[in-house]
Every structure is written in C-alpha cells, then in structure tokens.
Amino acid sequence: SDDTTLYANYTLTDTKDFDTDEPLLRRPRDKASVGFDQYFWERTIRVGGQYLFVGDRLDTRDEILNQYYLVNLNGSLYL
C-alpha cells in the first residue's frame, strides 16, 4: 500500500591505493541491506527497520576484520 515502503541495497566495492596497488584498508567488498517503513494514523507515525550486512575487511598487518550484521529500528512522530 501507499503506507508501506520496502527497499533493498547491495554495494560491491573494489578499492585500490594507487601508490601501493593494494586494496584500501577497512573497506568491505560487499555491503547489503533490506528494510521497511510503515506509516500509521494518516502518516503521522512512522516505524521502520533495517537489516545490514557488512562483509570482511582488510586491516593493518594483513589482518581480516570479520563480517558483521546489524539490525536498526527507528520511528518518528510528525507534529
């Protein structure tokens, strides 16, 4: 309906430090999210949520930072 919004995003990032020809540190190659917004009472109240995935990242000394997931919940009241 007009009161519900669904969305999905995916980003594939291929970075390079042009001085060293190495990937940039702490930038995930893969990042994705899905989410929704729902409006109530003539669009005066909004409730939403998002599920975020961030892939592995290269850190200093060739260490790999593990992937992680994050859930965000939000809301707003229009006065």
Side-chain angles (χ1 to χ4, degrees):
S1 80
D2 289 339
D3 292 333
T4 303
T5 303
L6 301 174
Y7 61 87
N9 300 292
Y10 173 76
T11 303
L12 173 66
T13 305
D14 189 15
T15 64
K16 183 194 286 190
D17 181 328
F18 291 113
D19 293 332
T20 64
D21 206 35
E22 296 290 325
L24 294 175
L25 299 179
R26 300 181 198 97
R27 271 74 168 189
R29 180 172 171 83
D30 300 295
K31 187 174 179 181
S33 69
V34 293
F36 74 95
D37 287 314
Q38 177 68 50
Y39 291 89
F40 300 97
W41 292 284
E42 298 179 6
R43 298 181 71 86
T44 59
I45 296 175
R46 183 188 54 80
V47 176
Q50 177 191 47
Y51 177 79
L52 174 69
F53 163 78
V54 177
D56 294 340
R57 286 121 28 243
L58 180 66
D59 201 3
T60 57
R61 290 173 270 159
D62 292 327
E63 291 183 41
I64 301 294
L65 300 174
N66 292 332
Q67 67 187 24
Y68 65 90
Y69 307 89
L70 182 65
V71 175
N72 294 307
L73 300 175
N74 58 70
S76 59
L77 172 63
Y78 297 94
L79 302 176

